[in-house]
Amino acid sequence: MLTENTFCRLYKVFPVLQNKIRIVPATDHNISQIATELAQTQLLPVIYETIFIKIDRLLRHETVPRFWAHFDASRKESPTNGQETNRNFFRFQEAVQKLYGDFGQYYLQLKRLEKIRQLVPLPEHLAKKPTDISEFIRMFRCALLAQLPIDFNWLVYEFYSVAFKVFALNHAESDEYMDVPDSFQCSACGLESEHCQCQNLASAFTSTNRQLAIMGLLDKIAGFTLTMLIHERIDAKIGETKDSFSVSHIESLERWLNTVVLQWLTRIYNRGSLTIEPSDRKIEEAIENFQTKLGFYLCENYANAIIDQFFGIIIDFPMSQAAIDDLKICLEKIDLKGHFSKTVKQTLETKLLHPGVDTPDILTGYVAAIKTLRHLDQTGVLLQTITEPIKEYLRSRPDTVRCVVTGLTEEGCSDLSEELAKSEHLKVKDNVNEKLELTDWENWNPDPINADAVVAKESQSGRPSDIISMVVDIYGSKELFVNEYRNLLAERLLSQLDSNPDKEFRNLELLKLRFGETLLHSCEVMLKDIDDSKRINSHILSEESGFVQDRPFEISALIVSSQFWPTFKKETMELPETIKHMFDQYTKTFESYKGNRTLHWTPLNGKVVIELELDGKITEMQVTPAQATIAIHFSEQREWELEKLGHKMNMPPSILRKRLIFWQSQGLIRETRENFFVLNDNVSKRDSAADQHVLQAPDVCDDEEAESAMESASDQREEELQVFWSYIEAMLTNLDSLPLDRIHQMLKMFASQVDVSQEELKGILQRKVREHKLVYAGGVYQLPKA
């Protein structure tokens, strides 16, 4: 049995036996005495187990609850003055300091127990594995984490947030948090300069992290919050680059990560020092792992920030080229191409592909996207994937081809016109592929595994298609674009009869380099007709021609070669007798001059300069032939019924009414009752009527002049494709029913004068199905049964 003196010595050496934590000094002699008495009584196993039981109980009921009480969310306090600005920082330091003190008390008692065990053997099966100290640390962690509060992170967050701010401003080259307006206030700790706590904060921060590391709690207590805080600071740093596309940020971000964030982490894990000793290999590996993980996090989030703003980057290109280069670097480290393709595709569809955006604006965005994506990805995989929805949407718009042609040939700084101007520097060489193979061969890379056949083909051809080729590829047919250009050229030549065609000649030469001379031969003839017309007019109007010299009005004709010009709209109009007589005289003179050639007039095309005399005032106007004819008829007769005037002019009343609107908007004609029009020959009446009409139809203008004299390319194509219908009817009459591909093959054999794709043929057949002229069932087409 142990004596009373022995118990006193035990309680002095091991206060935990009395449920106390604080130890008192004990000499080695006291420990030796206890060891001797325990050896004699063989009670060491009992005392050994009791000490660990007591420690476990004190940890769970005193030490741990006292520590977590500092993290009570109800104790959150907002600072009321400068001295209390960093109060929560010191609260966390105090909590860790007290916990560390208790940890030291337990630790010293266990060290005393180790000395006794060295003097008195303990049965092997009772000893804690691997050591008493390691077992205590395990118990310490388990007890602490078993009572972990749900919302303890707020105090930890404030502690490390303040510490990061102080370090970023005092231990690294950083301009972070430098926007404090008061020059007498410390930017780091937020106090007046004379009360600056930066040194105290740095010292407390270092000691607190050292204590947590010794207790093995640094990652357990602060790991999650520390990671969250660093991610927030990285996100905030990336947010500073928002909307700044013209400057590269990747290098400055990585430098900030290495000089601020990683040095701060080094201080945390290396006990306040920025220099890692060679022997501390674990710390060095931990910092390297942080650098790798945070580097990837930085690249991923910076890349996502660029991707989220990619529409603006496309619009600003090439000013935004720096942002594209940064994204290219990030994509080499992080596989975000799938996310990039999906996000950018959705953004373009949302911003561009809806009825609220005009077709020219969509084309501008499409061209900008081509330039941007080609700079980002040389292989063209991303370009093909992302722009495919734009191409499909543009195919559905009826004015796409015309907008493309207009963009190619219009004056100004259009992207397409600039690309066309580059054609002057294009020189096709037979050995272009050979030269490309010999240049820059060291940087050659194979096609990516997800490159489609189109991209692979372009890569093998030596160079990718240019922007104009990609725009033309929207429809996949050069002929369609050339036909639309021919229509547009015809309209320009007809509307600008007195203009110099030199600009059109230049555009034509540039287009020849892109589409070849064969397709544009008709356009060349059209421009030649302009010069020939001027020469023929000069001859016919000369005295030697025999044309009537005493003419009631001057006449000038644009003489075109009908087989080369686009088809004119099939509209007619009966001209006044005087004008018809002049046209007949002009035709006879032309026939005598050209022998076996004659003229067929299109009376609705052209321009007429007329003089209007009302109340003694003469006004000169340039109008269309239809407007001039209406004016002539009203000068001969003041009042007209719509139907009678339409019969007189050989024009449907619905179309005539549209053309009467022009003179109504001028206040010269008014509709007194339904379909009955009267000439305003009184100035005051005319002015009031004009005002009244403007109020009723403020948007009325001379829309007649905006009408095209030519059939559109789609209309002409529609007429060409109608030739197939007779062949299709004959096939189905003889063979009863046929599938689409079989009909297409037979048309290519028997009706090869017009080239038609299988998709176009499908459109024709489906339209005939809707018109109930065909029946589609079981994948075959057949004529409806009578």
Side-chain angles (χ1 to χ4, degrees):
M1 293 290 294
L2 294 175
T3 65
E4 185 175 346
N5 290 333
T6 304
F7 276 111
C8 291
R9 284 191 290 271
L10 274 173
Y11 292 153
K12 182 179 179 181
V13 175
F14 300 106
V16 294
L17 294 174
Q18 287 185 302
N19 297 321
K20 295 179 181 179
I21 300 175
R22 302 299 166 191
I23 63 174
V24 295
T27 63
D28 291 340
H29 177 69
N30 296 135
I31 295 174
S32 299
Q33 284 183 322
I34 293 174
T36 302
E37 294 178 4
L38 291 176
Q40 293 173 354
T41 59
Q42 297 183 353
L43 291 176
L44 178 60
V46 176
I47 300 299
Y48 182 83
E49 289 293 337
T50 303
I51 289 174
F52 276 96
I53 292 172
K54 292 288 186 178
I55 289 176
D56 184 63
R57 183 177 300 169
L58 287 172
L59 283 174
R60 295 181 184 278
H61 296 287
E62 291 189 24
T63 303
V64 171
R66 185 165 56 246
F67 174 73
W68 288 125
H70 291 84
F71 296 83
D72 186 2
S74 63
R75 297 180 58 191
K76 288 185 180 180
E77 301 174 6
S78 300
T80 57
N81 54 60
Q83 296 295 333
E84 298 181 352
T85 299
N86 300 304
R87 184 168 185 174
N88 290 328
F89 176 93
F90 291 108
R91 279 181 59 188
F92 181 77
Q93 183 216 5
E94 180 186 0
V96 174
Q97 191 173 18
K98 289 181 179 180
L99 181 66
Y100 182 73
D102 290 349
F103 178 88
Q105 299 295 316
Y106 294 123
Y107 184 84
L108 288 176
Q109 294 181 61
L110 290 175
K111 294 297 289 184
R112 293 174 179 177
L113 183 61
E114 280 189 353
K115 290 181 179 180
I116 294 176
R117 286 188 55 193
Q118 291 174 359
L119 299 173
V120 181
L122 183 71
E124 186 68 23
H125 69 279
L126 293 178
K128 303 296 182 183
K129 305 296 182 182
T131 64
D132 296 344
I133 299 297
S134 62
E135 174 63 16
F136 160 70
I137 292 176
R138 186 193 66 79
M139 292 169 55
F140 183 78
R141 289 178 184 173
C142 290
L144 193 73
L145 299 178
Q147 300 182 31
L148 190 72
I150 296 176
D151 53 355
F152 82 98
N153 280 320
W154 70 271
L155 193 61
V156 183
Y157 179 87
E158 291 196 28
F159 175 82
Y160 283 99
S161 179
V162 171
F164 183 84
K165 188 176 181 180
V166 172
F167 180 83
L169 287 169
N170 294 300
H171 294 273
E173 297 180 359
S174 173
D175 57 357
E176 193 172 9
Y177 307 108
M178 293 300 289
D179 56 348
V180 180
D182 189 355
S183 59
F184 297 101
Q185 188 178 26
C186 177
S187 302
C189 64
L191 299 177
E192 294 182 2
S193 299
E194 59 182 4
H195 301 296
C196 179
Q197 292 183 335
C198 286
Q199 280 302 115
N200 293 336
L201 292 171
S203 177
F205 177 69
T206 301
S207 63
T208 302
N209 284 306
R210 182 179 60 82
Q211 292 168 358
L212 287 172
I214 291 174
M215 293 185 290
L217 297 176
L218 184 58
D219 282 330
K220 303 296 183 181
I221 298 295
F224 174 78
T225 305
L226 195 59
T227 302
M228 180 181 67
L229 174 65
I230 293 174
H231 285 177
E232 286 182 0
R233 293 297 177 266
I234 292 176
D235 293 341
K237 195 70 177 177
I238 292 173
E240 296 175 6
T241 68
K242 188 177 181 181
D243 300 327
S244 179
F245 306 139
S246 58
V247 180
S248 174
H249 299 286
I250 187 67
E251 184 177 347
S252 62
L253 287 172
E254 290 179 341
R255 183 171 60 251
W256 170 83
L257 181 68
N258 293 326
T259 58
V260 177
V261 177
L262 289 174
Q263 287 186 14
W264 185 60
L265 287 172
T266 302
R267 286 197 60 179
I268 293 175
Y269 287 92
N270 199 37
R271 301 183 181 182
S273 175
L274 294 176
T275 304
I276 302 175
E277 297 296 333
S279 58
D280 295 331
R281 183 58 187 166
K282 289 185 177 180
I283 296 178
E284 186 177 354
E285 290 178 356
I287 299 302
E288 289 176 355
N289 290 335
F290 270 120
Q291 184 174 18
T292 302
K293 292 178 181 178
L294 295 178
F296 281 128
Y297 182 85
L298 175 70
C299 283
E300 181 177 3
N301 284 269
Y302 181 48
N304 284 327
I306 295 176
I307 292 171
D308 291 340
Q309 306 171 79
F310 206 76
F311 184 77
I313 292 174
I314 288 175
I315 300 303
D316 290 343
F317 191 82
M319 298 297 294
S320 59
Q321 181 173 327
I324 303 296
D325 294 334
D326 284 355
L327 180 60
K328 191 185 300 185
I329 294 173
C330 293
L331 292 179
E332 291 174 355
K333 299 178 180 180
I334 305 291
D335 185 15
L336 290 175
K337 289 188 177 180
H339 171 68
F340 172 78
S341 299
K342 181 179 179 181
T343 303
V344 176
K345 188 186 297 185
Q346 290 177 348
T347 301
L348 291 174
E349 290 178 359
T350 303
K351 299 283 187 180
L352 292 179
L353 309 186
H354 57 82
V357 184
D358 294 334
T359 303
D361 294 333
I362 299 178
L363 284 170
T364 300
Y366 178 54
V367 172
I370 292 174
K371 294 179 178 179
T372 306
L373 294 171
R374 178 172 290 168
H375 182 78
L376 176 65
D377 178 28
Q378 299 291 336
T379 66
V381 177
L382 293 176
L383 176 61
Q384 293 287 342
T385 304
I386 293 173
T387 59
E388 187 60 32
I390 304 179
K391 293 166 63 176
E392 292 181 2
Y393 185 78
L394 285 172
R395 290 189 194 106
S396 66
R397 286 210 169 188
D399 60 338
T400 298
V401 181
R402 170 152 294 221
C403 290
V404 171
V405 175
T406 304
L408 285 170
T409 57
E410 69 181 0
E411 295 181 356
C413 54
S414 165
D415 289 331
L416 290 177
S417 61
E418 290 177 0
E419 288 296 321
L420 182 61
K422 295 178 183 178
S423 300
E424 293 180 312
H425 307 290
L426 291 178
K427 293 183 179 179
V428 181
K429 297 182 179 180
D430 294 336
N431 60 344
V432 62
N433 289 343
E434 179 182 351
K435 288 194 172 185
L436 284 172
E437 290 176 1
L438 295 176
T439 60
D440 201 25
W441 58 270
E442 293 179 344
N443 295 325
W444 177 86
N445 286 312
D447 293 322
I449 58 174
N450 57 337
D452 55 21
V454 175
V455 177
K457 183 178 180 180
E458 289 179 355
S459 177
Q460 294 169 4
S461 66
R463 62 185 174 113
S465 301
D466 55 23
I467 291 177
I468 293 180
S469 299
M470 293 196 67
V471 172
V472 171
D473 189 53
I474 292 174
Y475 279 86
S477 171
K478 291 183 179 180
E479 290 78 6
L480 189 62
F481 279 86
V482 170
N483 287 339
E484 192 63 47
Y485 168 69
R486 192 162 63 110
N487 286 353
L488 187 62
L489 177 62
E491 290 179 10
R492 287 180 176 174
L493 296 178
L494 290 175
S495 61
Q496 304 172 10
L497 297 175
D498 299 328
S499 64
N500 190 342
D502 289 344
K503 174 178 170 291
E504 301 297 345
F505 272 113
R506 178 179 176 275
N507 286 335
L508 179 60
E509 292 301 320
L510 294 175
L511 289 171
K512 282 182 181 179
L513 295 174
R514 297 282 181 173
F515 301 103
E517 295 191 8
T518 303
L519 290 176
L520 293 164
H521 176 66
S522 296
C523 299
E524 192 171 7
V525 174
M526 291 164 60
L527 290 173
K528 184 175 182 297
D529 284 344
I530 301 299
D531 290 336
D532 291 346
S533 296
K534 294 179 180 179
R535 179 174 50 82
I536 294 172
N537 266 306
S538 298
H539 173 77
I540 292 178
L541 298 178
S542 64
E543 295 181 358
E544 295 81 7
S545 66
F547 187 56
V548 179
Q549 298 301 315
D550 187 15
R551 298 184 289 272
F553 55 85
E554 294 296 327
I555 182 174
S556 176
L558 172 61
I559 302 169
V560 302
S561 305
S562 59
Q563 66 269 34
F564 294 100
W565 281 65
T567 306
F568 287 86
K569 285 187 175 179
K570 298 176 177 59
E571 295 183 16
T572 59
M573 182 181 68
E574 191 71 21
L575 294 170
E577 289 298 327
T578 305
I579 299 175
K580 286 176 62 178
H581 178 70
M582 286 292 297
F583 282 6
D584 292 341
Q585 292 296 321
Y586 192 100
T587 302
K588 290 179 180 178
T589 307
F590 176 83
E591 290 174 348
S592 63
Y593 177 58
K594 285 294 184 179
N596 60 347
R597 298 175 62 186
T598 188
L599 297 177
H600 296 282
W601 297 87
T602 57
L604 285 172
N605 301 320
K607 298 293 181 183
V608 181
V609 178
I610 62 174
E611 289 183 352
L612 300 177
E613 182 178 355
L614 293 170
D615 298 335
K617 183 180 179 180
I618 298 177
T619 303
E620 187 176 280
M621 298 180 65
Q622 180 175 284
V623 296
T624 64
Q627 293 164 356
T629 303
I630 292 172
I632 291 174
H633 286 308
F634 272 93
S635 68
E636 297 173 351
Q637 180 178 323
R638 293 183 65 256
E639 300 177 352
W640 283 96
E641 289 185 3
L642 182 63
E643 188 174 350
K644 289 184 178 180
L645 182 60
H647 181 73
K648 180 77 173 177
M649 295 178 60
N650 190 23
M651 185 177 295
S654 59
I655 297 177
L656 178 59
R657 174 177 281 279
K658 293 180 182 179
R659 294 190 165 109
L660 285 169
I661 289 177
F662 172 77
W663 292 117
Q664 287 180 272
S665 66
Q666 300 294 324
L668 298 177
I669 295 174
R670 59 191 175 92
E671 188 175 5
T672 57
R673 63 178 185 270
E674 186 177 1
N675 295 332
F676 190 82
F677 296 87
V678 178
L679 176 67
N680 281 332
D681 53 3
N682 183 277
V683 176
S684 60
K685 290 182 179 179
R686 184 173 71 251
D687 293 341
S688 61
D691 293 341
Q692 181 182 6
H693 189 81
V694 169
L695 290 174
Q696 294 175 351
D699 295 331
V700 170
C701 60
D702 46 345
D703 291 332
E704 169 70 18
E705 298 188 39
E707 291 183 8
S708 172
M710 306 294 170
E711 289 186 352
S712 66
S714 58
D715 293 337
Q716 296 178 44
R717 182 63 175 171
E718 185 74 18
E719 291 183 5
E720 291 177 354
L721 295 179
Q722 288 302 318
V723 73
F724 291 121
W725 177 236
S726 58
Y727 289 96
I728 295 171
E729 279 188 308
M731 290 179 201
L732 296 178
T733 300
N734 294 327
L735 301 175
D736 189 43
S737 62
L738 289 171
L740 173 64
D741 55 349
R742 180 61 175 158
I743 296 175
H744 185 245
Q745 292 174 1
M746 295 181 69
L747 286 176
K748 289 174 66 176
M749 294 173 58
F750 301 110
S752 58
Q753 66 271 26
V754 179
D755 187 23
V756 60
S757 67
Q758 190 163 317
E759 286 299 317
E760 285 180 309
L761 177 60
K762 183 178 180 180
I764 296 173
L765 296 177
Q766 292 298 111
R767 187 162 51 252
K768 295 300 181 182
V769 170
R770 290 192 295 271
E771 295 172 358
H772 304 290
K773 295 182 179 179
L774 277 181
V775 174
Y776 180 72
V780 296
Y781 294 90
Q782 58 186 358
L783 296 173
K785 303 299 181 182

